[in-house]
Amino acid sequence: MTPQATNIGHPGLSAIGFFLLFLALSLGVTWWAARRTRSTEDFYAAGRRIGAVQNGLALSGDFLSAAGFLGGAGLVAIFGFDGVIYSVGGLVGWPIMTFLLAEPLRNLGRYTVGDVLAYRLGTTSIRIMAAISSLTLVLIYLLLQMVGAGTLVQLLFGLPYETAIVITAAVMLVYVLFGGMIATTWVQVIKCLLMLAIVIVLTMMLLAAYGYDPAAVLRAAATRNGAKVLGPGPLLSSPIETISLGLGFVCGISSLPHVLMRFYTVPDAVTARRSLLYATGFLAIFFLLITYIGFGAMALVGTDAIRAVDRGGNMALPLLAELMGGNSFLGFVSAVAFATILAVVSGLVITGTAALSHDLWVNVLRGGKASGREQLVVARVGAVFLAIIAMLLGIAFRGQNLVYLVALATAVAASANFPVFVLALFWKRLTVAGANWGMLTGLFGSLLILYLSPLVQVDILHHATAVIGLRNPAIISCPLAFAVAILVSLATYRRRDGERYACIQKQMLLGSHQA
Amino acid sequence: MTVETGFAAMARRDDAAVRDVARRRTKVSLILAALLIAIYLGFVFLAAFAKTLLATPLSDGISLALVVAALVIVAAWVLAWVYVSWARRHHDAACDRLS
């Protein structure tokens, strides 16, 4: 089988042209947003003027990083049905977020989950813990995105790794510094629409190529790689590992800080709830179509040809786009992949900035007494600081195997955030000590278990065996964090803790206009 | 039956009404969350332990596994829709009465 002759890595005028077009459009949006960014409310929460549909698109855009866009199709193109399991897992966290967290978090906070916990527990100290947890998650995600940016842009555009990272950090910083959350949101909305357009057009092309018989693509994939690709393969075999993966998905995705922050950009909890239904719908369509496209790439491009360009399968969708739509479609897909990285990184940086500047500087160090002007200056300094860190991380981790970080990201969110969020919103006996110890246990518990797991011990450190056989720590660290938060709360409970909960219960339902 | 009067009594009635609305929302939220988690874990367990069953072809090119995966995705959205429409029809009105 001869690999398909491809222009990936040799961008024609179309790829560069489409990318420059996106750059011009997004910088135009940033210029427009900059004139509307006057207060911290504009900077962190887009003035709370984002509508339900736009926020739905921005939420799904935040979640659909280049890994979801290119990696989602790639996993299916290489592993068949086993890749679908990841897509399903990516979706189920969203309704859980809608049922349990969205409305109360929106009603109790201003910009961050640190606001919610500080208000719920009546103390500033929990902000430090919440900010550390958010920053850890943002840094894990930034590291993944930056290394992905360097590698993917190198593959798609043939740019040197470091150049790709510097461009990403610089453009993202322009969005965040000048346009704040308004620019970040609209860039995310535009990119999400482009991404949805690509998967819809590719699906139509596949259907047309197979005479509008939806099953024909799957038949062709099964003929080429064997019927086994349509059923479950070796991915899931151990029961504990299976539950751990599922738990990490459900609890982790529903408490990612950069997703939760978007609830503060809409006018009220009702809009937050509706925007989540839109987001779930967009993601459902995306995951269904990306699965179909993955099988299409398996059938038409072939697994071997895909792996010849990139071992991880990330080039399955671009290769299929080139085959079906020629060089200009490949150019369009490459430009959107780059745009995705820019949009996701800016969302991450603004979330990290909120934890750093709003939680730690303004509320912990300055006791909430900073002037509006000072808050904006500190926010922008924080963004520059995070952009530099992101750039250095990307360069330092060049060529590293970062698979363990994907497991870590959901496991940390599922262990450090989810238990304490749920208890804070649904259990009146949660105390400050319980919340602090719960988050601490979840955060360091998941880090420690991951360090002892085969992902680090065998794959990275090349030891023969690992202390703990699990590849995903969530099954241990999430229940452990729940247990610690509950036990410490019971031991330190005072009557006024319960009274505090009764006092804010009304606000949790109705929201308030707390300054 | 004596009717309580005064601000303290009003506050107490108000509290009871708030708790009532909160309890109902918690119940709906937890039931829907449990339902979705059960559906999802069911799917993951089938994929782990009923591999041959899921590999059954339903028609040429379409296996049971693919249909089940698509149904889980659709079910997730439908449950989210059930919650949002319940909230719009019942919860929002109850909240309006509280304020």
Side-chain angles (χ1 to χ4, degrees):
Chain A
M1 203 180 324
T2 51
Q4 174 192 346
T6 172
N7 277 318
I8 283 182
H10 312 283
L13 279 179
S14 63
I16 296 169
F18 282 126
F19 181 68
L20 291 179
L21 206 65
F22 174 81
L23 210 56
L25 183 62
S26 59
L27 291 177
V29 167
T30 308
W31 175 78
W32 169 82
R35 300 172 42 189
R36 280 159 183 76
T37 304
R38 293 191 197 91
S39 63
T40 41
E41 190 151 290
D42 298 325
F43 186 84
Y44 290 126
R48 310 200 201 284
R49 284 190 299 266
I50 304 294
V53 179
Q54 291 94 309
N55 198 45
L57 283 165
L59 282 165
S60 15
D62 264 338
F63 187 61
L64 294 174
S65 58
F69 181 49
L70 302 180
L75 280 174
V76 175
I78 291 180
F79 299 109
F81 179 76
D82 276 0
V84 182
I85 296 173
Y86 280 100
S87 291
V88 176
L91 188 72
V92 288
W94 290 82
I96 301 289
M97 198 193 303
T98 317
F99 305 149
L100 301 180
L101 302 176
E103 293 162 63
L105 286 185
R106 174 66 183 82
N107 283 335
L108 292 182
R110 280 178 74 195
Y111 308 134
T112 64
V113 286
D115 291 333
V116 176
L117 293 179
Y119 185 70
R120 158 71 178 83
L121 298 165
T123 169
T124 325
S125 72
I126 188 70
R127 266 188 203 276
I128 302 172
M129 200 55 237
I132 291 173
S133 164
S134 291
L135 281 169
T136 308
L137 280 163
V138 163
L139 285 178
I140 295 172
Y141 265 91
L142 269 179
L143 176 53
L144 273 171
Q145 290 299 314
M146 291 311 265
V147 174
T151 320
L152 290 177
V153 175
Q154 189 178 24
L155 263 173
L156 289 167
F157 287 82
L159 277 177
Y161 182 90
E162 281 83 5
T163 314
I165 287 201
V166 173
I167 294 180
T168 307
V171 176
M172 165 274 285
L173 196 55
V174 172
Y175 298 157
V176 174
L177 271 189
F178 299 107
M181 193 53 136
I182 305 179
T184 305
T185 302
W186 285 101
V187 167
Q188 197 65 271
V189 167
I190 294 169
K191 157 242 149 160
C192 192
L193 284 172
L194 292 173
M195 211 179 213
L196 284 171
I198 287 178
V199 292
I200 289 170
V201 168
L202 256 181
T203 305
M204 300 306 283
M205 284 173 154
L206 270 175
L207 281 173
Y210 282 92
Y212 295 99
D213 173 7
V217 173
L218 303 170
R219 270 203 300 277
T223 315
R224 190 156 181 178
N225 281 25
K228 63 178 191 310
V229 297
L230 301 179
L235 177 70
L236 296 176
S237 38
S238 132
I240 305 254
E241 199 73 63
T242 303
I243 307 179
S244 201
L245 181 84
L247 199 67
F249 270 137
V250 171
C251 305
I253 288 167
S254 59
S255 41
L256 291 174
H258 61 291
V259 171
L260 299 180
M261 194 172 169
R262 293 218 171 273
F263 300 149
Y264 303 110
T265 66
V266 294
D268 50 32
V270 177
T271 319
R273 178 208 295 153
R274 285 177 50 222
S275 67
L276 267 170
L277 185 61
Y278 281 114
T280 311
F282 294 135
L283 288 168
I285 293 171
F286 180 86
F287 284 130
L288 287 173
L289 297 187
I290 207 81
T291 301
Y292 197 63
I293 290 168
F295 280 114
M298 182 189 272
L300 286 169
V301 184
T303 304
D304 293 335
I306 294 167
R307 299 197 82 151
V309 184
D310 173 61
R311 294 290 305 159
N314 285 315
M315 291 300 120
L317 190 146
L319 281 167
L320 183 68
E322 185 180 23
L323 186 73
M324 314 276 320
N327 219 358
S328 51
F329 197 35
L330 170 67
F332 188 61
V333 169
S334 306
V336 171
F338 202 165
T340 297
I341 295 168
L342 288 174
V344 171
V345 170
S346 10
L348 287 167
V349 164
I350 209 159
T351 310
T353 302
L356 208 58
S357 305
H358 173 72
D359 280 332
L360 290 183
W361 180 275
V362 173
N363 282 295
V364 176
L365 286 177
R366 304 277 280 137
K369 290 191 189 69
S371 69
R373 205 185 134 72
E374 179 188 333
Q375 294 195 31
L376 273 176
V377 172
V378 173
R380 290 184 164 127
V381 172
V384 175
F385 177 72
L386 279 172
I388 294 171
I389 300 247
M391 214 160 66
L392 295 179
L393 282 176
I395 291 170
F397 281 79
R398 173 181 191 161
Q400 296 282 315
N401 174 3
L402 297 178
V403 184
Y404 63 96
L405 284 182
V406 183
L408 183 63
T410 53
V412 168
S415 317
N417 287 352
F418 187 78
V420 169
F421 290 173
V422 168
L423 291 175
L425 300 176
F426 291 94
W427 193 48
K428 70 172 187 180
R429 287 173 183 273
L430 183 75
T431 64
V432 180
N436 266 316
W437 282 105
M439 288 189 100
L440 208 62
T441 311
L443 180 60
F444 289 100
S446 48
L447 288 171
L448 182 70
I449 296 168
L450 190 92
Y451 177 74
L452 298 174
S453 80
L455 279 173
V456 172
Q457 293 291 319
V458 179
D459 297 357
I460 307 287
L461 300 174
H462 304 293
H463 294 169
T465 53
V467 185
I468 293 174
L470 277 175
R471 299 182 83 81
N472 190 319
I475 184 77
I476 304 179
S477 51
C478 174
L480 190 68
F482 263 113
V484 168
I486 291 172
L487 290 177
V488 174
S489 292
L490 290 177
T492 56
Y493 183 73
R494 300 280 177 281
R495 236 189 93 191
R496 56 185 166 80
D497 292 317
E499 282 163 4
R500 173 96 200 156
Y501 185 76
C503 285
I504 63 168
Q505 214 171 20
K506 185 168 182 178
Q507 194 187 331
M508 225 152 86
L509 290 170
L510 302 178
S512 79
H513 309 285
Q514 63 153 325
Chain B
M1 197 169 89
T2 55
V3 178
E4 280 188 288
T5 51
F7 287 119
M10 264 167 65
R12 228 180 345 263
R13 269 202 301 276
D14 196 39
D15 274 3
V18 167
R19 268 203 306 279
D20 205 43
V21 176
R23 202 175 296 135
R24 210 163 305 145
R25 193 192 96 87
T26 303
K27 202 170 108 187
V28 173
S29 301
L30 291 182
I31 288 175
L32 287 171
L35 204 61
L36 180 60
I37 291 174
I39 291 173
Y40 174 63
L41 283 185
F43 165 72
V44 173
F45 270 89
L46 279 179
F49 307 114
K51 291 185 201 278
T52 36
L53 172 72
L54 280 190
T56 317
L58 293 182
S59 74
D60 200 11
I62 296 181
S63 63
L64 184 62
L66 292 176
V67 176
V68 172
L71 284 179
V72 175
I73 289 183
V74 173
W77 187 84
V78 169
L79 286 180
W81 178 84
V82 166
Y83 173 75
V84 170
S85 59
W86 168 81
R88 195 187 54 227
R89 262 185 277 133
H90 302 283
H91 182 66
D92 289 346
C95 284
D96 283 345
R97 281 195 294 277
L98 289 179
S99 57

